[in-house]
mmCIF file of all heavy atoms in Angstrom:
data_model
loop_
_atom_site.group_PDB
_atom_site.id
_atom_site.type_symbol
_atom_site.label_atom_id
_atom_site.label_comp_id
_atom_site.label_asym_id
_atom_site.label_seq_id
_atom_site.Cartn_x
_atom_site.Cartn_y
_atom_site.Cartn_z
ATOM 1 N N VAL B 1231 -7.752 -2.864 -10.861
ATOM 2 C CA VAL B 1231 -7.837 -1.417 -10.694
ATOM 3 C C VAL B 1231 -7.056 -0.754 -11.826
ATOM 4 O O VAL B 1231 -5.923 -1.153 -12.111
ATOM 5 C CB VAL B 1231 -7.249 -1.002 -9.334
ATOM 6 C CG1 VAL B 1231 -7.289 0.510 -9.180
ATOM 7 C CG2 VAL B 1231 -7.995 -1.692 -8.196
ATOM 8 N N THR B 1232 -7.666 0.210 -12.467
ATOM 9 C CA THR B 1232 -6.973 0.904 -13.540
ATOM 10 C C THR B 1232 -6.781 2.364 -13.164
ATOM 11 O O THR B 1232 -7.638 2.974 -12.497
ATOM 12 C CB THR B 1232 -7.733 0.812 -14.874
ATOM 13 O OG1 THR B 1232 -9.046 1.346 -14.702
ATOM 14 C CG2 THR B 1232 -7.849 -0.632 -15.334
ATOM 15 N N GLN B 1233 -5.649 2.906 -13.584
ATOM 16 C CA GLN B 1233 -5.338 4.302 -13.298
ATOM 17 C C GLN B 1233 -4.877 4.972 -14.583
ATOM 18 O O GLN B 1233 -4.116 4.393 -15.359
ATOM 19 C CB GLN B 1233 -4.221 4.406 -12.254
ATOM 20 C CG GLN B 1233 -4.645 3.930 -10.874
ATOM 21 C CD GLN B 1233 -3.585 4.205 -9.823
ATOM 22 O OE1 GLN B 1233 -3.040 3.278 -9.235
ATOM 23 N NE2 GLN B 1233 -3.326 5.487 -9.551
ATOM 24 N N THR B 1234 -5.349 6.188 -14.767
ATOM 25 C CA THR B 1234 -4.920 6.966 -15.917
ATOM 26 C C THR B 1234 -4.630 8.406 -15.502
ATOM 27 O O THR B 1234 -5.276 8.924 -14.565
ATOM 28 C CB THR B 1234 -6.011 6.993 -17.020
ATOM 29 O OG1 THR B 1234 -7.237 7.493 -16.454
ATOM 30 C CG2 THR B 1234 -6.229 5.607 -17.601
ATOM 31 N N PRO B 1235 -3.660 9.054 -16.140
ATOM 32 C CA PRO B 1235 -2.701 8.441 -17.051
ATOM 33 C C PRO B 1235 -1.648 7.655 -16.269
ATOM 34 O O PRO B 1235 -1.627 7.706 -15.055
ATOM 35 C CB PRO B 1235 -2.088 9.663 -17.734
ATOM 36 C CG PRO B 1235 -2.116 10.725 -16.680
ATOM 37 C CD PRO B 1235 -3.399 10.494 -15.897
ATOM 38 N N ARG B 1236 -0.806 6.923 -16.931
ATOM 39 C CA ARG B 1236 0.241 6.180 -16.236
ATOM 40 C C ARG B 1236 1.451 7.071 -15.939
ATOM 41 O O ARG B 1236 2.140 6.880 -14.938
ATOM 42 C CB ARG B 1236 0.676 4.995 -17.077
ATOM 43 C CG ARG B 1236 -0.378 3.918 -17.237
ATOM 44 C CD ARG B 1236 -0.661 3.204 -15.908
ATOM 45 N NE ARG B 1236 0.552 2.760 -15.257
ATOM 46 C CZ ARG B 1236 1.214 1.650 -15.549
ATOM 47 N NH1 ARG B 1236 0.761 0.860 -16.512
ATOM 48 N NH2 ARG B 1236 2.304 1.323 -14.895
ATOM 49 N N TYR B 1237 1.697 8.023 -16.802
ATOM 50 C CA TYR B 1237 2.831 8.929 -16.617
ATOM 51 C C TYR B 1237 2.384 10.352 -16.937
ATOM 52 O O TYR B 1237 1.558 10.566 -17.824
ATOM 53 C CB TYR B 1237 4.001 8.548 -17.532
ATOM 54 C CG TYR B 1237 4.487 7.139 -17.327
ATOM 55 C CD1 TYR B 1237 3.968 6.090 -18.079
ATOM 56 C CD2 TYR B 1237 5.450 6.848 -16.359
ATOM 57 C CE1 TYR B 1237 4.396 4.798 -17.883
ATOM 58 C CE2 TYR B 1237 5.884 5.549 -16.160
ATOM 59 C CZ TYR B 1237 5.354 4.528 -16.920
ATOM 60 O OH TYR B 1237 5.777 3.237 -16.717
ATOM 61 N N LEU B 1238 2.972 11.282 -16.192
ATOM 62 C CA LEU B 1238 2.572 12.682 -16.344
ATOM 63 C C LEU B 1238 3.759 13.564 -15.983
ATOM 64 O O LEU B 1238 4.427 13.323 -14.966
ATOM 65 C CB LEU B 1238 1.414 12.935 -15.387
ATOM 66 C CG LEU B 1238 0.364 13.982 -15.674
ATOM 67 C CD1 LEU B 1238 -0.152 13.897 -17.087
ATOM 68 C CD2 LEU B 1238 -0.787 13.811 -14.695
ATOM 69 N N ILE B 1239 3.999 14.561 -16.797
ATOM 70 C CA ILE B 1239 5.024 15.552 -16.479
ATOM 71 C C ILE B 1239 4.345 16.909 -16.438
ATOM 72 O O ILE B 1239 3.678 17.303 -17.403
ATOM 73 C CB ILE B 1239 6.167 15.557 -17.516
ATOM 74 C CG1 ILE B 1239 6.847 14.182 -17.559
ATOM 75 C CG2 ILE B 1239 7.192 16.646 -17.185
ATOM 76 C CD1 ILE B 1239 7.900 14.057 -18.641
ATOM 77 N N LYS B 1240 4.512 17.607 -15.315
ATOM 78 C CA LYS B 1240 3.890 18.915 -15.140
ATOM 79 C C LYS B 1240 4.935 19.906 -14.642
ATOM 80 O O LYS B 1240 6.014 19.520 -14.160
ATOM 81 C CB LYS B 1240 2.749 18.823 -14.117
ATOM 82 C CG LYS B 1240 1.527 18.061 -14.616
ATOM 83 C CD LYS B 1240 0.735 18.874 -15.597
ATOM 84 C CE LYS B 1240 -0.577 18.244 -15.951
ATOM 85 N NZ LYS B 1240 -1.343 19.095 -16.898
ATOM 86 N N THR B 1241 4.576 21.155 -14.736
ATOM 87 C CA THR B 1241 5.458 22.236 -14.288
ATOM 88 C C THR B 1241 4.963 22.762 -12.949
ATOM 89 O O THR B 1241 3.741 22.744 -12.682
ATOM 90 C CB THR B 1241 5.471 23.358 -15.337
ATOM 91 O OG1 THR B 1241 5.840 22.792 -16.599
ATOM 92 C CG2 THR B 1241 6.452 24.457 -14.977
ATOM 93 N N ARG B 1242 5.882 23.236 -12.140
ATOM 94 C CA ARG B 1242 5.510 23.850 -10.857
ATOM 95 C C ARG B 1242 4.405 24.883 -11.049
ATOM 96 O O ARG B 1242 4.445 25.685 -11.994
ATOM 97 C CB ARG B 1242 6.722 24.555 -10.248
ATOM 98 C CG ARG B 1242 7.521 23.698 -9.308
ATOM 99 C CD ARG B 1242 8.652 24.486 -8.703
ATOM 100 N NE ARG B 1242 9.526 25.071 -9.706
ATOM 101 C CZ ARG B 1242 10.540 25.874 -9.428
ATOM 102 N NH1 ARG B 1242 10.813 26.184 -8.176
ATOM 103 N NH2 ARG B 1242 11.279 26.370 -10.387
ATOM 104 N N GLY B 1243 3.442 24.880 -10.169
ATOM 105 C CA GLY B 1243 2.359 25.825 -10.219
ATOM 106 C C GLY B 1243 1.133 25.330 -10.969
ATOM 107 O O GLY B 1243 0.040 25.872 -10.783
#
Side-chain angles (χ1 to χ4, degrees):
Chain B
V1231 178
T1232 57
Q1233 292 187 244
T1234 56
R1236 293 292 310 278
Y1237 302 92
L1238 208 47
I1239 300 175
K1240 290 285 189 179
T1241 305
R1242 268 183 304 175

